[in-house]
Amino acid sequence: MVEQIKFKYIYEQVRQLILNGEYPIGSQLPSEHQLVKTYNVSRETVRKSLNMLVSEGLIQKIRGKGSVVIYQGMTEFPFAELVSFKEVQKQLGMQYETIVPVFEQIKASAVPRVKEALDLTADTKLWHFIRYRQLDGITKIIDEDYCLVEMLPSLTQEIVQDSLYEYIEQQGYEIGFSSKSITFEPFGALEHLAFGEVIPEYTATIRGIVHLKDTSRFQYNISKHIATEFKFTDFSRR
């Protein structure tokens, strides 16, 4: 087996063990010396394999500890679809708990980016709320939303904890479409508070502007996912 094939083979073997949970988050991989003996290859070959795992966000090399698994399992959410979190849970068969640490009214002037995105006047009143999506008590996703108070004057914290879109449709509105963008951004104070110690300290951040079927804009959403747990799947055809 030539050197290039060897390091890819080791990478694939160890990667599969991590994805299968045989090396769970926080566990250590065998040392470079052990991998050299196991696969009968050079130390340089092993290092190439480990560097590929590092670049993919599966492991972190830590002085004195070796290679530590940082992969926590992928959470695949439909990026191209316009669905509520409640609907996503049913699709994926996952039981998340939603915590609402922030629920308030603000003026559009307090959030210039949102004001511009929704084409609002400075005095327009907005609902602002943050929802932590937790699995087994651990926050996996932060959803931050801004909605028009005029459209949803009776909105409550209990409603947004359950399903915002379900409530909107119950009020007779038809949700139409959204435009979304995705960026990878370093942690800020909110992310440190919600996610805790995560390596690397980056989120996959999806920003969306949601429209009703009559094309009017009513919601600005920011959804933050731990970068190493985020998977974007799309289908393209020429």
Side-chain angles (χ1 to χ4, degrees):
M1 193 182 294
V2 298
E3 195 75 7
Q4 185 175 10
I5 296 175
K6 283 181 180 179
F7 90 80
K8 287 186 177 178
Y9 173 78
I10 297 168
Y11 155 76
E12 289 290 352
Q13 290 290 305
V14 178
R15 179 178 183 273
Q16 202 56 50
L17 290 172
I18 294 172
L19 296 181
N20 289 343
E22 294 188 45
Y23 290 122
I25 182 170
S27 64
Q28 291 178 242
L29 295 185
S31 67
E32 289 185 5
H33 178 69
Q34 289 172 308
L35 291 172
V36 165
K37 290 182 67 176
T38 299
Y39 293 101
N40 192 28
V41 294
S42 69
R43 187 175 291 267
E44 182 61 29
T45 298
V46 166
R47 285 177 177 168
K48 282 184 180 179
S49 305
L50 295 176
N51 286 339
M52 287 181 70
L53 295 170
V54 170
S55 66
E56 199 172 326
L58 297 178
I59 67 170
Q60 180 77 21
K61 289 185 176 180
I62 300 176
R63 186 180 297 276
K65 289 189 176 182
S67 299
V68 177
V69 176
I70 61 173
Y71 174 77
Q72 301 183 58
M74 290 290 183
T75 304
E76 184 174 350
F77 283 86
F79 178 80
E81 299 176 38
L82 183 52
V83 292
S84 70
F85 191 86
K86 192 173 182 178
E87 292 168 323
V88 170
Q89 282 199 91
K90 289 181 180 178
Q91 290 175 14
L92 300 180
M94 302 174 106
Q95 290 299 315
Y96 282 80
E97 182 182 6
T98 296
I99 307 297
V100 186
V102 175
F103 183 81
E104 62 182 357
Q105 280 193 26
I106 62 172
K107 288 187 176 181
S109 57
V111 278
R113 185 171 187 169
V114 178
K115 173 180 172 293
E116 181 180 356
L118 298 182
D119 191 23
L120 305 173
T121 64
D123 289 331
T124 301
K125 291 182 179 179
L126 295 171
W127 291 113
H128 170 230
F129 46 93
I130 296 174
R131 293 174 286 185
Y132 294 166
R133 313 298 193 172
Q134 296 186 341
L135 194 61
D136 297 326
I138 299 172
T139 300
K140 295 292 187 179
I141 302 165
I142 304 169
D143 277 327
E144 184 170 15
D145 290 273
Y146 300 87
C147 299
L148 300 174
V149 170
E150 182 180 12
M151 174 181 160
L152 304 168
S154 301
L155 194 65
T156 67
Q157 185 168 329
E158 290 70 29
I159 290 169
V160 300
Q161 188 171 16
D162 181 42
S163 176
L164 175 66
Y165 284 5
E166 186 175 273
Y167 175 73
I168 288 172
E169 288 169 341
Q170 287 173 352
Q171 304 310 300
Y173 294 104
E174 289 188 275
I175 300 170
F177 59 94
S178 72
S179 55
K180 300 178 183 179
S181 65
I182 179 171
T183 56
F184 287 85
E185 303 174 4
F187 276 18
L190 175 62
E191 292 76 30
H192 279 294
L193 177 65
F195 293 135
E197 295 297 322
V198 175
I199 299 175
E201 295 183 338
Y202 273 82
T203 63
T205 299
I206 303 167
R207 290 183 170 83
I209 301 170
V210 189
H211 303 244
L212 296 175
K213 279 199 172 177
D214 65 6
T215 74
S216 59
R217 289 169 271 187
F218 75 91
Q219 178 193 17
Y220 187 89
N221 169 260
I222 307 166
S223 187
K224 293 178 178 286
H225 304 242
I226 298 172
T228 53
E229 297 184 28
F230 179 78
K231 181 180 180 181
F232 166 54
T233 304
D234 197 7
F235 174 79
S236 300
R237 186 196 301 277
R238 178 166 175 164

